[in-house]
Amino acid sequence: MKQIPRRIAAGAAIATVGALAFTSCAASDDAGESKGESTPITVWVDIERKPALEDVAAGFTEDTGIDVKLVTKDFATVDQDFISQVPTGKGPDIIVSPHDKLGAYVAAGVVAPLELGDVADGFAESAVQAMTYEGAVYGVPYSIENVALVRNTALAPEPSGTFDELIAAGKAAGTEYPFLLGLSPEQGDPYHLYPLQTSFGSQVFAQNDDGSYDPSKLVIGDEAGIAFATALKQWGADGVLNANIDGDKAREFFIDGKSPYYLTGPWNIPAIAEAGIDYAIDPVPSAGGQEAKPFIGVNGFFLSSKSGNALAATNFIVNYLSTEDAQLSLYEVGGRPPALTAAYETAAAEDPDVEAFGAIGQTGAPMPAIPEMGAVWSDWGNAELQLIKGEGDPAEVWTTAAKNIEAKIAG
């Protein structure tokens, strides 16, 4: 792993923090509790990532004299703890979090924006976009994850140009299933199906020019969405999608050689590799004629709006957690492709799986971080499942789901 000379990092920190002073002091003034430059900063982190941050924190303390307390939290509930405790002054200065919580954090007033300056140029554009809400950047990203198509190269030696070609190749392989994708028996799986949906030009909310999502423009029920719904019903009827195959079964069947194709994420690659399967990782081919864009999830570090030492916390986030060294440390404990381009290139050079998933993620669509997303999953997934089971007219089922979502958003 490359080591970044601490003196260089410290120098960069001073320069950037100078530019950030206004934003950071504003956060402290809002809190009304800035206690001076020596006040320790606290980071809420999960137990998996804590070891990766210990050296970074020690280096920060050595450079600045400010202690960093790494506090492990249960990440099943940490977002709600953060929202409830920050206003009381009991929250951390920094939280590690997936980006799709950002809208809720902003709505609750518990995060402060950051000025990344030139640091932003080192990250994948989609990662910075995911950290952006209503035109302001709120976090430093550290990893990107997305789904892709895993291909058993013994059963399907060549990648397919379209989804139709993939299904034809899957049937020609003579396996039990032409294609595998795990579905929840209760709620389908809009996340895994999203690249197929976007290949029809369908998305959930319209996007602004800067790539952010407009919660006032729900577009899931448009003609492109209905075209995807029609395809879903046909795929269900043809046995391409099977409502009885959940995530565990899909992985098991692929490992058992029952299909040449499996749409999944990097989290299932270790089991596939351990099983001795020769595989390749491909982009999901288009089913509807447009580029198939998976959702990308971005993890990052966010500054509390009530930080007791916002200047130091900002310095730590922007100048220490954005380094190649820190990003590679986080990659090594989690296996997720780094968001920093230099760190990703280093990781990709050593691991072709990281390279493949990362390259596909570069063209992905950040999962909307707006609070309105909480209203879409249930009706969206239920409509998918209903159609895959062969129930209802596609246009009617899809339009009803869109109207239900619209009503939920309206309250």
Side-chain angles (χ1 to χ4, degrees):
M1 180 185 304
K2 293 182 179 179
Q3 296 295 322
I4 295 179
R6 188 155 295 145
R7 284 173 297 178
I8 295 175
I14 292 168
T16 306
V17 167
L20 296 172
F22 177 80
T23 299
S24 302
C25 288
S28 285
D29 289 346
D30 287 346
E33 57 184 12
S34 179
K35 298 175 181 177
E37 294 183 356
S38 64
T39 302
I41 57 176
T42 299
V43 183
W44 278 5
V45 62
D46 61 291
I47 194 166
E48 178 188 58
R49 278 165 277 207
K50 183 181 178 184
L53 296 179
E54 289 174 344
D55 284 349
V56 186
F60 178 81
T61 300
E62 182 179 332
D63 290 340
T64 65
I66 298 171
D67 288 334
V68 179
K69 298 179 179 178
L70 302 175
V71 178
T72 55
K73 300 288 289 187
D74 178 359
F75 265 57
T77 58
V78 71
D79 56 326
Q80 291 305 312
D81 291 344
F82 185 67
I83 288 172
S84 65
Q85 294 191 29
V86 165
T88 69
K90 296 180 180 178
D93 300 278
I94 298 167
I95 184 173
V96 183
S97 176
H99 86 278
D100 60 335
K101 306 294 184 184
L102 177 56
Y105 294 159
V106 174
V110 295
V111 289
L114 298 169
E115 292 289 344
L116 301 188
D118 293 342
V119 170
D121 297 338
F123 289 96
E125 182 178 354
S126 58
V128 176
Q129 193 178 82
M131 297 285 112
T132 303
Y133 190 80
E134 295 183 342
V137 177
Y138 283 87
V140 162
Y142 80 83
S143 72
I144 301 174
E145 60 186 11
N146 51 271
V147 298
L149 183 73
V150 183
R151 173 168 50 90
N152 183 324
T153 55
L155 299 172
E158 300 296 330
S160 300
T162 68
F163 193 66
D164 285 344
E165 292 176 5
L166 178 152
I167 297 305
K171 291 179 177 177
T175 52
E176 187 170 350
Y177 304 102
F179 168 77
L180 287 168
L181 183 154
L183 295 167
S184 163
E186 291 84 23
Q187 292 193 332
D189 197 327
Y191 175 78
H192 280 82
L193 286 166
Y194 197 64
L196 295 174
Q197 181 171 339
T198 54
S199 79
F200 285 86
S202 173
Q203 54 183 359
V204 187
F205 292 97
Q207 288 180 275
N208 299 311
D209 292 340
D210 64 357
S212 61
Y213 291 91
D214 184 345
S216 70
K217 295 181 180 177
L218 182 74
V219 296
I220 194 171
D222 62 13
E223 291 184 4
I226 292 173
F228 170 64
T230 302
L232 277 177
K233 186 165 185 179
Q234 189 62 51
W235 291 332
D238 293 344
V240 173
L241 296 176
N242 188 327
N244 295 317
I245 297 178
D246 62 15
D248 290 341
K249 288 180 180 176
R251 182 180 62 244
E252 175 188 339
F253 293 165
F254 185 77
I255 288 174
D256 288 345
K258 294 183 177 179
S259 176
Y261 302 109
Y262 180 25
L263 201 163
T264 188
W267 46 86
N268 278 322
I269 295 300
I272 294 168
E274 188 176 340
I277 292 175
D278 293 327
Y279 63 90
I281 298 168
D282 301 327
V284 178
S286 176
Q290 300 187 35
E291 185 177 13
K293 297 183 177 182
F295 269 141
I296 62 169
V298 180
N299 290 294
F301 297 90
F302 298 91
L303 172 68
S304 165
S305 61
K306 301 297 183 184
S307 171
N309 193 347
L311 195 60
T314 300
N315 183 12
F316 185 61
I317 294 173
V318 176
N319 294 307
Y320 286 77
L321 297 173
S322 67
T323 64
E324 184 176 352
D325 207 25
Q327 299 257 325
L328 284 172
S329 292
L330 288 159
Y331 156 70
E332 288 172 356
V333 299
R336 298 174 176 87
L340 186 74
T341 302
Y344 163 71
E345 290 174 346
T346 298
E350 299 173 352
D351 189 334
D353 295 341
V354 170
E355 179 182 23
F357 274 105
I360 294 165
Q362 297 291 320
T363 63
M367 188 179 295
I370 52 180
E372 287 80 0
M373 274 300 287
V376 309
W377 296 109
S378 178
D379 288 286
W380 187 8
N382 285 334
E384 290 180 344
L385 198 60
Q386 189 175 345
L387 292 167
I388 292 168
K389 288 180 175 178
E391 301 170 358
D393 173 74
E396 185 176 332
V397 169
W398 203 254
T399 301
T400 298
K403 288 181 178 178
N404 289 342
I405 294 169
E406 192 171 10
K408 287 181 179 177
I409 292 174

